[in-house]
Amino acid sequence: ACEAAARRLAKLAVGETPLLLAPGDLEYVMTSRLSNATATSLGTAVSLSASTAMEMAERLGTKHRVGGKAVEGPNKKPWIRRHIGQEVPATELDEFVIGVLERWLTGAGDSKAARLAIAAFKSGR
């Protein structure tokens, strides 16, 4: 319910400023759209036993779960996060992440070029 509400609110804008509400904590957003195959592959690569997106998020220490508390001994090591960031296919990234990237690229330069870059990224090119 909280995730759905955050996604609805994120579509609102205050003047020219869009709201950027993540649909969960960083660990959840990083992994929420992973396929089972990708979760298993990433888990194996970083020595975490995970076969689903939620299992991967839990091993990384998400609080976006029943009870709202992280599992014991979360793996918040920068090298693990870097590996996930490098290896997650664009087609398995949460739309929130894509939206943040698009806003950063648009703010850094030509908005048409940013849209083209994001479209190419999302298609895996």
Side-chain angles (χ1 to χ4, degrees), residues 105-117:
L105 288 173
T106 300
D110 179 11
S111 61
K112 182 178 179 183
R115 284 192 303 276
L116 290 173

Side-chain angles (χ1 to χ4, degrees), residues 33-125:
R33 301 287 188 244
L34 297 181
S35 67
N36 290 345
T38 300
T40 300
S41 174
L42 286 172
T44 299
V46 297
S47 299
L48 299 176
S49 176
S51 59
T52 67
M54 194 62 211
E55 285 179 1
M56 177 59 85
E58 288 174 347
R59 302 308 180 273
L60 294 171
T62 188
K63 291 166 276 321
H64 189 82
R65 57 192 299 249
V66 175
K69 295 185 180 191
V71 295
E72 292 289 320
N75 290 285
K76 297 181 182 255
K77 298 175 182 128
W79 75 268
I80 291 175
R81 291 178 179 198
R82 182 183 67 239
H83 181 78
I84 291 169
Q86 290 172 332
E87 299 301 323
V88 171
T91 56
E92 295 182 33
L93 277 177
D94 190 289
E95 282 299 313
F96 173 78
V97 174
I98 298 291
V100 169
L101 291 173
E102 188 168 21
R103 287 183 181 114
W104 281 346
L105 288 173
T106 300
D110 179 11
S111 61
K112 182 178 179 183
R115 284 192 303 276
L116 290 173
I118 291 293
F121 175 72
K122 286 172 69 173
S123 70
R125 291 185 275 136

